[in-house]
Amino acid sequence: MGIAGIRQAHGLRYYYAQQRYIVLSNGLMPPMLCDGEKPILTQTEQELDLKARLIVSQELGHDRISVTCNYLG
């Protein structure tokens, strides 16, 4: 058992990243939650995606957007 009795802390990071992305991207679903279908994004959605990924990456303690691929797809 981990700190504070949490066993699956990494699973919580996935959940946090995905939920935070949805909020920051104005409702876009992370590709990881899209049942294998990669969503086609408009230019505006692409901009929201990039901004949301940058914020999520920073909130998770990283400086690289590429890290969000592990959490969001």
Side-chain angles (χ1 to χ4, degrees):
M1 191 146 324
I3 297 172
I6 298 173
R7 288 184 176 185
Q8 302 294 325
H10 209 70
L12 294 175
R13 286 176 65 86
Y14 273 84
Y15 180 79
Y16 172 83
Q18 292 166 357
Q19 295 306 306
R20 188 72 172 124
Y21 173 86
I22 293 168
V23 170
L24 293 169
S25 67
N26 201 25
L28 293 176
M29 292 299 290
M32 187 174 278
L33 300 180
C34 290
D35 294 328
E37 291 186 31
K38 185 177 179 183
I40 298 172
L41 304 178
T42 66
Q43 181 66 34
T44 301
E45 290 171 334
Q46 289 176 17
E47 292 169 9
L48 286 170
D49 173 76
L50 184 62
K51 288 177 185 177
R53 285 176 182 271
L54 179 59
I55 293 169
V56 168
S57 172
Q58 291 170 344
E59 290 178 353
L60 293 175
H62 299 284
D63 291 323
R64 301 178 324 274
I65 291 177
S66 61
V67 171
T68 62
C69 291
N70 294 325
Y71 297 98
L72 306 172

